[in-house]
């Protein structure tokens, strides 16, 4: 009888983080070229949902998962949340009928992509977290990017109120959009927090 193939959660996490990088790149491209990308973003988000469903399906019946089941599920959900947050930003661009992209918005989108790439790098080394000499620094980089996002958020909101005080609708729209964009980086840091918990429990 052929040996049953064991589900690889680490592969699934890498797939999810790669989807996040792809979706963040879609966000940057949408801002640079002002192209319609909602269908593309939704397809990536849906692919993430399917991976999540696979993780949930396997973890309940797995006799010996690589770490606590609750942490396996929490990490999968946190990675999927990044995809959800980025798609939300693109949907709000559409709903708010945005026709001009400020330079600050492109800076934020670029930082979101940088944060997703940091998460992706951490997930690529996650399976080696007990032995890797680089993994801890990769996780720290995710948190550093979130701190950069916090500082950028303060800067762009101030720029709005200083330079566009006579455009209340512009201030209203972009205040909300920047808050949604900052949430994307928060979602990346949440992944780092869960991973640090896993490492602590299994060290």
């Amino acid at each position: 009888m052929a040996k049953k193939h064991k589900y690889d959660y680490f592969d699934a996490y890498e797939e999810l983080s790669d989807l996040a990088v792809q979706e963040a790149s879609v966000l940057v491209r949408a801002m640079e070229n002002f192209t319609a990308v909602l269908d593309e973003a939704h397809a990536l988000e849906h692919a993430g949902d399917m991976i999540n469903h696979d993780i949930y399906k396997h973890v309940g019946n797995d006799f010996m998962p690589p770490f606590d089941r609750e942490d396996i599920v929490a990490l999968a959900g946190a990675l999927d949340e990044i995809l959800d947050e980025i798609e939300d930003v693109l949907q709000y661009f559409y709903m708010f009928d945005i026709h001009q992209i400020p330079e600050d918005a492109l800076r934020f989108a670029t930082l979101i992509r940088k944060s997703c790439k940091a998460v992706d790098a951490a997930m690529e080394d996650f399976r080696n977290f007990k032995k890797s000499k680089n993994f801890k620094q990769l996780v720290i980089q995710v948190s550093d990017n979130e701190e950069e996002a916090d500082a950028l958020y303060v800067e762009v909101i101030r720029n709005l109120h200083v330079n566009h005080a006579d455009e209340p609708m512009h201030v209203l729209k972009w205040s909300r959009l920047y808050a949604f964009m900052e949430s994307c980086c928060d979602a990346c840091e949440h992944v780092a927090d869960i991973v640090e918990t896993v490492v602590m429990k299994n060290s």
Side-chain angles (χ1 to χ4, degrees), residues 183-199:
S183 292
C184 295
C185 296
D186 285 344
C188 290
E189 187 186 37
H190 185 47
V191 169
D193 291 342
I194 294 173
V195 165
E196 286 183 325
T197 299
V198 171
V199 172

Side-chain angles (χ1 to χ4, degrees), residues 135-200:
F135 183 69
K136 183 177 181 180
Q137 186 56 46
L138 291 171
V139 174
I140 289 172
Q141 184 58 55
V142 177
S143 297
D144 288 347
N145 288 336
E146 196 279 331
E147 290 183 12
E148 187 178 346
D150 285 345
L152 180 58
Y153 178 71
V154 171
E155 179 185 343
V156 298
I157 293 298
R158 175 169 172 77
N159 286 346
L160 272 179
H161 289 274
V162 169
N163 299 316
H164 299 277
D166 58 344
E167 302 173 82
M169 285 306 299
H170 180 88
V171 172
L172 177 63
K173 286 182 179 181
W174 282 102
S175 291
R176 296 187 67 185
L177 279 165
Y178 289 140
F180 294 133
M181 296 177 84
E182 201 265 341
S183 292
C184 295
C185 296
D186 285 344
C188 290
E189 187 186 37
H190 185 47
V191 169
D193 291 342
I194 294 173
V195 165
E196 286 183 325
T197 299
V198 171
V199 172
M200 180 182 66

Side-chain angles (χ1 to χ4, degrees), residues 110-146:
T110 302
L111 181 54
I112 290 169
R113 182 173 60 186
K114 179 183 174 184
S115 297
C116 290
K117 286 182 176 180
V119 169
D120 191 42
M123 289 302 100
E124 287 177 0
D125 201 35
F126 184 36
R127 68 178 68 245
N128 305 312
F129 73 86
K130 293 182 180 180
K131 299 179 180 179
S132 174
K133 296 179 180 180
N134 300 319
F135 183 69
K136 183 177 181 180
Q137 186 56 46
L138 291 171
V139 174
I140 289 172
Q141 184 58 55
V142 177
S143 297
D144 288 347
N145 288 336
E146 196 279 331

Side-chain angles (χ1 to χ4, degrees), residues 28-90:
V28 173
R29 175 158 44 86
M31 291 196 175
E32 289 177 336
N33 304 320
F34 212 75
T35 53
V37 294
L38 279 179
D39 288 345
E40 189 176 353
H42 182 68
L44 292 167
E45 190 276 333
H46 180 69
D49 285 343
M50 294 301 99
I51 295 169
N52 247 320
H53 291 325
D54 276 347
I55 291 172
Y56 296 159
K57 180 175 70 175
H58 285 89
V59 73
N61 299 317
D62 197 334
F63 177 68
M64 192 176 292
F67 49 92
D68 288 352
R69 287 177 173 82
E70 63 210 42
D71 293 328
I72 288 173
V73 170
L75 182 54
L79 286 162
D80 190 53
E81 182 64 21
I82 300 173
L83 292 162
D84 291 342
E85 294 283 357
I86 296 173
E87 186 185 22
D88 284 349
V89 172
L90 288 163

